[in-house]
Amino acid sequence: MSFITNFPLFTIILSLFSGALCMMLSGEAARRYTLTCECALIAMAACVLGYTLSTGQAFTYVMGEFPAPWGNEIRAGVLEAMTAVLFLIVMFCAVLAGRKYLPIDIDESKLNLYYTLINLMTAALMALIWTNDLFTGYVFLEILTLTSCGVLIVREIGRTTLAAVRYMIMNLLGSGLFLLGVVLLYDVSGHLLMVPMRASIASLASDPGNMTVLSMAVGILTIGLAIKSGLFPFHYWMPDTYGWATPTSGAVLSSLVSKAYIFLLVKTYFRAVGIDVVRRMPIGNILLVLGLCGIVFGSVSALRADHINRMVAFSSAAQIGYIYMGIGLGGTVGFTAAIFHIFAHAVTKSALFLTTPRLAAVSDDSLLFKNLQGSGLRDRNAGIFFTAAAFSMIGIPVFAGFASKLMFGTAAVSVGSPLKLILVMVVLAVSSLLNAMYFIRTVIRIFGPAPDTAPRYTGFRPTYNTAMVILTVANILLGLFSQVFADLIGRGLMMFA
Amino acid sequence: MIVNLIANYEEAVAVILFGIGLTTLLFQRNLIKKLIGMNIMDTGTFLFLASMGYIRGRKAPIIVNGVTDPAAYINPVPAGLVLTGIVVSVSVTAIMLSLTVRLYSRYHTLDLDDIYVLSKHQTEDR
């Protein structure tokens, strides 16, 4: 066993330790420490990715030397390592770019506690990605919920508190259902570790009489995670939550937290239940329909928004719909498209949420569309970063968004059901049109003629641009080398089984 | 059907409790009542887990009198899960109560719909 096999555990432990350490540091020291720590985490996750690619197989890390089916396990394959690297890069960029707003939104004496929350959130994200045990998944799911509530309420205004309460209510509902689903699965299979559970469920599923119970358990678990990630019709908390949070929190919540739940869902399907058993359940069709509704309703709401952050948040609801559409289509192609869209959306949406406050900064601190006229001219860097991300959301070639839409189309063709193909194609066309309408409208607005277009200095440091360049480059790389990433995701899904 | 329900009355009660909690959490407008609903929902799950984990006639998994036959003991994992779940539930309730206090001190009401209407009139736009 290579030393690298310890790295997945190290990423979790290091983030937990950093969370505790940041409580004792000053705000600035905590920021520097967190950024350094994120770099170390990215390096470790990249090593794991390299290792799994070179050996060509996943590895399981048995904690405390208790072999399955008793102990707790961590598992790392290509897909987990890729997701970890990408999530950590987005996290790093969000912390780097959101710096200016943190001292404004948060009391100076509490600044270090924000980094504590960020580190704990990283630990929870890493644990959700690496874990091989459903109950560990539940515990870190709750830690993720609590920390995401924490990063939301650090901006102490009435609306964030209200948004946090509504966010928590939906999330607690989701956690409760997820827990019930896990308990039911444990009840029928006798295992919490994913691999023994799958073997047990496979033998149960061979008797058609057991399928009702299994469908119910998996269905409850799926609804729980769907509520938590904001699938239609459970998406109404999104605009307030993302729109009023401090920019770093908005970026992290929309691009990482909701995606981690979906990643856990995919992992549960493949590793704990078995994808062949899931295909025999009616869950896929329900997810497909809800996903399609989410795409349309999210896009229409985004079109009607008068506030740029609300528009971007509603567009998140639509993108979650895309991901569930891929899962609902099923098949390796559908899941590959869904996971690729998780990546594409993570780099794009975080870029949007980190750019909008900067556009607001040159528009009298207002995020309302009517005040943003010409803001892209007053701050050209922000205008360019916003436009690049907006093009990716619309699905213009070269950017990641185009590649993922192409993959969804391919997935719909490969399913072989004419009804699904027509539905998906119509919704893809309508949603691309709507996306184009509201994003192009915004781009025209921010570059439109205004009485005052002289560049203004708003006190953003060069590190902001560094973070945004990383996100934009990642976006373009995902778009240009989409086939490479799709192959890697496909290999990762193979390793899941 | 009825016979099955009576035979598994603990699980039936657990599921009913879960349903009561879920609807309370979703449909009550008062924040404190919502929180109580959440706790009932969690309790339902814990009851389910605890009752499934117990096998009548077996002992707690602590070896006494040298009996090492696994058939003499119950599985300790469900009880461990219930404990973990309770800890999670307590911490979540604490956070939610602190949020409720914060909202109450700002808006002087516990009704979520009223709070929403009040917050709309604020001008904290950025």
Side-chain angles (χ1 to χ4, degrees):
Chain A
M1 288 288 269
S2 161
F3 183 67
I4 292 177
T5 53
N6 294 304
F7 281 3
L9 181 66
F10 286 175
T11 57
I12 303 171
I13 301 287
L14 179 61
S15 322
L16 281 175
F17 171 77
S18 311
L21 187 70
C22 282
M23 284 198 277
M24 290 176 266
L25 297 175
S26 71
E28 178 58 21
R31 192 186 73 86
R32 288 198 180 148
Y33 174 76
T34 305
L35 286 173
T36 319
C37 181
E38 296 286 345
C39 289
L41 293 179
I42 293 172
M44 280 198 265
C47 284
V48 177
L49 179 61
Y51 178 75
T52 47
L53 278 176
S54 67
T55 57
Q57 53 191 354
F59 63 84
T60 308
Y61 182 87
V62 182
M63 301 219 269
E65 306 289 324
F66 295 108
W70 291 289
N72 199 342
E73 287 177 356
I74 277 177
R75 178 193 178 274
V78 171
L79 192 54
E80 285 102 328
M82 264 172 84
T83 316
V85 171
L86 199 102
F87 277 21
L88 287 167
I89 289 175
V90 173
M91 183 68 104
F92 174 80
C93 292
V95 173
L96 199 60
R99 174 185 188 179
K100 177 172 181 277
Y101 275 99
L102 291 177
I104 300 172
D105 290 338
I106 306 171
D107 190 53
E108 182 70 38
S109 61
K110 293 181 188 162
L111 210 49
N112 58 336
L113 295 179
Y114 185 77
Y115 294 105
T116 299
L117 285 171
I118 287 284
N119 279 308
L120 290 180
M121 185 186 262
T122 313
L125 284 171
M126 289 298 109
L128 280 187
I129 291 173
W130 302 121
T131 186
N132 203 18
D133 179 287
L134 268 185
F135 200 80
T136 310
Y138 166 71
V139 172
F140 280 96
L141 196 98
E142 290 284 21
I143 295 178
L144 191 58
T145 306
L146 290 177
T147 48
S148 47
C149 173
V151 298
L152 187 57
I153 53 170
V154 286
R155 190 173 174 215
E156 292 184 48
I157 60 172
R159 296 200 72 150
T160 52
T161 317
L162 178 61
V165 167
R166 299 174 84 194
Y167 176 77
M168 282 299 276
I169 288 168
M170 287 321 276
N171 268 284
L172 295 176
L173 203 66
S175 308
L177 288 167
F178 179 79
L179 177 63
L180 188 65
V182 171
V183 167
L184 282 170
L185 283 177
Y186 176 56
D187 193 27
V188 294
S189 71
H191 293 286
L192 284 168
L193 279 178
M194 293 182 181
V195 179
M197 184 187 268
R198 189 178 61 205
S200 173
I201 286 181
S203 70
L204 283 171
S206 55
D207 176 4
N210 291 331
M211 280 309 281
T212 318
V213 177
L214 287 176
S215 302
M216 199 180 72
V218 177
I220 290 177
L221 187 145
T222 308
I223 297 171
L225 287 174
I227 292 178
K228 286 177 86 74
S229 51
L231 176 63
F232 174 87
F234 309 109
H235 67 289
Y236 70 88
W237 49 265
M238 274 186 174
D240 280 345
T241 308
Y242 300 161
W244 297 106
T246 186
T248 304
S249 307
V252 169
L253 287 175
S254 66
S255 52
L256 303 184
V257 174
S258 55
K259 305 303 178 311
Y261 300 135
I262 302 179
F263 187 82
L264 184 66
L265 182 69
V266 173
K267 196 165 181 176
T268 311
Y269 278 177
F270 274 85
R271 290 189 56 73
V273 185
I275 195 66
D276 297 325
V277 181
V278 175
R279 284 210 185 100
R280 286 165 55 196
M281 300 173 181
I283 295 170
N285 290 336
I286 299 174
L287 286 182
L288 178 68
V289 172
L290 290 180
L292 293 174
C293 292
I295 296 172
V296 175
F297 279 87
S299 301
V300 170
S301 307
L303 197 59
R304 292 172 53 204
D306 59 345
H307 180 293
I308 191 167
N309 264 8
R310 287 182 77 84
M311 180 195 86
V312 178
F314 272 122
S315 134
S316 277
Q319 307 303 318
I320 295 284
Y322 275 108
I323 297 170
Y324 276 102
M325 178 178 81
I327 295 175
L329 284 171
T332 314
V333 193
F335 278 100
T336 307
I339 291 177
F340 185 82
H341 199 66
I342 292 181
F343 295 170
H345 186 237
V347 291
T348 314
K349 196 48 56 100
S350 51
L352 286 173
F353 271 116
L354 291 167
T355 325
T356 52
R358 187 159 158 172
L359 291 173
V362 290
S363 314
D364 304 325
D365 276 340
S366 167
L367 284 164
L368 295 172
F369 279 122
K370 59 178 190 228
N371 298 332
L372 285 174
Q373 184 83 16
S375 55
L377 297 168
R378 293 190 286 271
D379 188 341
R380 280 170 198 275
N381 285 336
I384 291 165
F385 294 135
F386 185 88
T387 310
F391 280 178
S392 173
M393 295 274 36
I394 300 168
I396 288 181
V398 177
F399 293 102
F402 171 73
S404 63
K405 278 188 184 159
L406 196 64
M407 284 186 199
F408 282 121
T410 322
V413 173
S414 72
V415 168
S417 150
L419 177 67
K420 282 185 188 172
L421 177 64
I422 293 169
L423 264 178
V424 170
M425 285 304 173
V426 167
V427 170
L428 271 181
V430 169
S431 112
S432 295
L433 187 71
L434 290 171
N435 271 346
M437 275 163 75
Y438 59 80
F439 272 114
I440 297 270
R441 186 186 67 179
T442 315
V443 169
I444 290 174
R445 170 77 76 174
I446 63 174
F447 284 110
D452 169 26
T453 54
R456 287 188 205 167
Y457 177 70
T458 45
F460 281 91
R461 295 174 190 242
T463 48
Y464 174 88
N465 287 337
T466 317
M468 297 310 292
V469 167
I470 295 174
L471 286 176
T472 312
V473 168
N475 195 340
I476 294 173
L477 285 180
L478 276 172
L480 285 180
F481 301 103
S482 58
Q483 206 47 51
V484 179
F485 284 100
D487 288 345
L488 285 178
I489 294 170
R491 277 177 73 180
L493 286 175
M494 288 297 206
M495 283 186 190
F496 263 178
Chain B
M1 173 78 182
I2 296 289
V3 178
N4 280 341
L5 276 182
I6 293 169
N8 297 308
Y9 69 95
E10 285 161 339
E11 288 77 7
V13 170
V15 170
I16 292 170
L17 273 179
F18 189 90
I20 294 174
L22 191 94
T23 40
T24 314
L25 176 60
L26 261 185
F27 299 121
Q28 278 290 346
R29 296 193 308 175
N30 185 305
L31 272 171
I32 299 287
K33 288 185 185 167
K34 267 185 189 291
L35 280 183
I36 293 173
M38 184 202 90
N39 275 291
I40 295 175
M41 187 176 87
D42 284 348
T43 311
T45 318
F46 302 148
L47 177 63
F48 185 86
L49 201 48
S51 66
M52 285 314 238
Y54 179 68
I55 302 170
R56 204 172 294 273
R58 294 200 189 174
K59 297 248 166 24
I62 300 162
I63 294 178
V64 278
N65 304 332
V67 181
T68 52
D69 178 18
Y73 302 109
I74 57 162
N75 182 359
V77 174
L81 299 185
V82 171
L83 281 179
T84 317
I86 289 175
V87 171
V88 170
S89 168
V90 165
S91 42
V92 167
T93 311
I95 287 223
M96 285 301 286
L97 283 173
S98 71
L99 282 176
T100 308
V101 169
R102 207 190 254 194
L103 274 183
Y104 186 78
S105 63
R106 185 179 280 265
Y107 298 108
H108 307 292
T109 170
L110 284 171
D111 189 308
L112 203 54
D113 292 353
D114 290 350
I115 294 175
Y116 191 65
V117 172
L118 287 171
S119 76
K120 284 247 166 184
H121 298 299
Q122 282 184 337
T123 49
E124 290 170 325
D125 279 36
R126 184 172 67 203

